[in-house]
Amino acid sequence: MLLDASDCQLVLVDYQARLMPAIAHGDEVRRRAELLANLAVMFDVPVWGTEQAPDRLGSLAPALRARCRRVFAKTTFDASGAGLLDALRAPARPAGNARSLPKHLQKPAAPARQTIVLAGCEAHVCVLQTALGLVEQELDVWVVTDACGSRRERDRDAAFDRLAAAGVELVTAEMVAFEWLRDARHPRFRDALALLK
């Protein structure tokens, strides 16, 4: 019932230059996304980004892009079809050339991280459709509400209602941070606390 950093991947959806000024409380939403991205790097959680029609809406915010392993350009509202799903399902570590090893030395590929922490814009369009698409692929999806936005707050809230009804967990960035930490004796506790202040 709690997030485990070793099983998580973070997906940042469409925090783009021409879109963010239209998002209600856009600056705060982007700051929460930056907090998530910095926490993910701190806890070795893979970070992926998406851009909706970047030729029209611009690039992912530079501070977020710098944290991403890869950014996927897309025109579909569900990002999973733009190559994101393949990246999320890839083994966490390369399995090596198992065919060249004797059978008793072969190691199975590490399982993919099954928990997807998702945040972005617009909550009722790309975040909603991506979350539901990932749920259909039997991934465990958690949406970070304070790092999600829409042009209208009612649309954002309706998306959260629908996501919760579909079994998606709704959390805040601070909940993610403390669940990844689990203990005040964690070696990165002070570093994480500095980001949260």
Side-chain angles (χ1 to χ4, degrees), residues 142-158:
W142 298 57
V143 169
V144 186
T145 58
D146 58 339
C148 289
S150 292
R151 286 169 289 141
R152 288 179 295 279
E153 291 183 36
R154 181 64 197 123
D155 287 329
R156 182 204 61 205
D157 295 346

Side-chain angles (χ1 to χ4, degrees), residues 133-150:
L134 295 174
V135 167
E136 284 182 355
Q137 295 297 319
E138 299 182 3
L139 292 166
D140 189 16
V141 180
W142 298 57
V143 169
V144 186
T145 58
D146 58 339
C148 289
S150 292

Side-chain angles (χ1 to χ4, degrees), residues 94-188:
N97 186 357
R99 290 184 198 186
S100 65
L101 294 173
K103 193 152 191 88
H104 70 282
L105 294 177
Q106 291 179 17
K107 294 181 184 175
R113 294 169 178 243
Q114 295 294 309
T115 303
I116 310 304
V117 178
L118 185 67
C121 299
E122 287 194 68
H124 66 295
V125 183
C126 293
V127 173
L128 174 77
Q129 291 189 33
T130 299
L132 295 177
L134 295 174
V135 167
E136 284 182 355
Q137 295 297 319
E138 299 182 3
L139 292 166
D140 189 16
V141 180
W142 298 57
V143 169
V144 186
T145 58
D146 58 339
C148 289
S150 292
R151 286 169 289 141
R152 288 179 295 279
E153 291 183 36
R154 181 64 197 123
D155 287 329
R156 182 204 61 205
D157 295 346
F160 295 157
D161 291 344
R162 189 167 170 201
L163 288 165
V168 172
E169 294 287 341
L170 302 180
V171 292
T172 66
E174 195 158 311
M175 290 166 75
V176 172
F178 283 100
E179 288 180 32
W180 283 350
L181 278 167
R182 298 282 178 103
D183 193 317
R185 293 171 297 180
H186 191 288
R188 302 305 302 265

Side-chain angles (χ1 to χ4, degrees), residues 9-13 46-50 68-70 72 84 87-88:
Q9 299 184 68
L10 174 63
V11 177
L12 302 172
V13 177
V47 182
W48 310 96
T50 70
C68 292
R69 291 185 177 192
R70 184 168 169 200
F72 299 90
L84 176 64
L88 294 174

